[in-house]
Amino acid sequence: MAIVINGKELEGDFYDADFMDRYESAMIHMKDRAEAGKNQHYKKVGDAMRAQIQVVRECVDEIFGRGTADDIFGPDNHNLKDHLRAIADLADCARQYRKDQNDFLNRYTQRNTVPYRPDWKRKK
């Protein structure tokens, strides 16, 4: 399954348990690092932005492999919006996967939850 982030196609499959382990672990680490960064005091806004960018880069590398962040953003991209958009794109892919999975499970499990009984009469 292709995942597109910042126009770059990456290989990842939200139906693969190993990929989901990496994804969930990376997202938890990103959240923890972001929370820890809130207590930091930066002298400049740019320094705070670079710290946020680094958190996103580490998350992407943790999910897709070392060096992927440089492939997606370039080694010298320090635009916070580009990095936050990438996380939003990734979260949108995960959200769509969960919706598809729930739809699939609901479609096929609800039909089989009530046993077929030919003696039941349908109401009109």
Side-chain angles (χ1 to χ4, degrees), residues 4 6 21 27-28 34-38 44 57 67 74 78 114 119:
V4 179
N6 281 359
D21 286 344
M27 296 305 270
I28 290 168
E35 287 292 323
K38 286 183 179 179
K44 297 179 182 177
R57 285 177 168 272
H78 300 289
V114 178
D119 58 330

Side-chain angles (χ1 to χ4, degrees), residues 11-61:
E11 198 58 39
D13 185 355
F14 286 102
Y15 286 96
D16 181 270
D18 295 332
F19 177 81
M20 283 303 295
D21 286 344
R22 285 193 318 270
Y23 173 79
E24 288 178 332
S25 177
M27 296 305 270
I28 290 168
H29 290 147
M30 182 181 69
K31 180 183 174 285
D32 291 345
R33 287 187 293 252
E35 287 292 323
K38 286 183 179 179
N39 298 327
Q40 292 245 341
H41 298 287
Y42 299 96
K43 291 183 178 185
K44 297 179 182 177
V45 173
D47 292 338
M49 292 169 72
R50 282 184 203 86
Q52 291 173 328
I53 288 167
Q54 186 60 34
V55 168
V56 171
R57 285 177 168 272
E58 290 171 4
C59 179
V60 169
D61 282 347

Side-chain angles (χ1 to χ4, degrees), residues 2-3 6 10 26-27 30 33 39 54 57-59 62 64 77 82 94 98 109 112 121 123:
I3 298 172
N6 281 359
L10 303 172
M27 296 305 270
M30 182 181 69
R33 287 187 293 252
N39 298 327
Q54 186 60 34
R57 285 177 168 272
E58 290 171 4
C59 179
E62 190 174 343
F64 297 104
N77 181 338
D82 290 345
R98 284 192 298 276
T109 57
N112 296 323
K121 303 282 184 193
K123 294 181 180 179

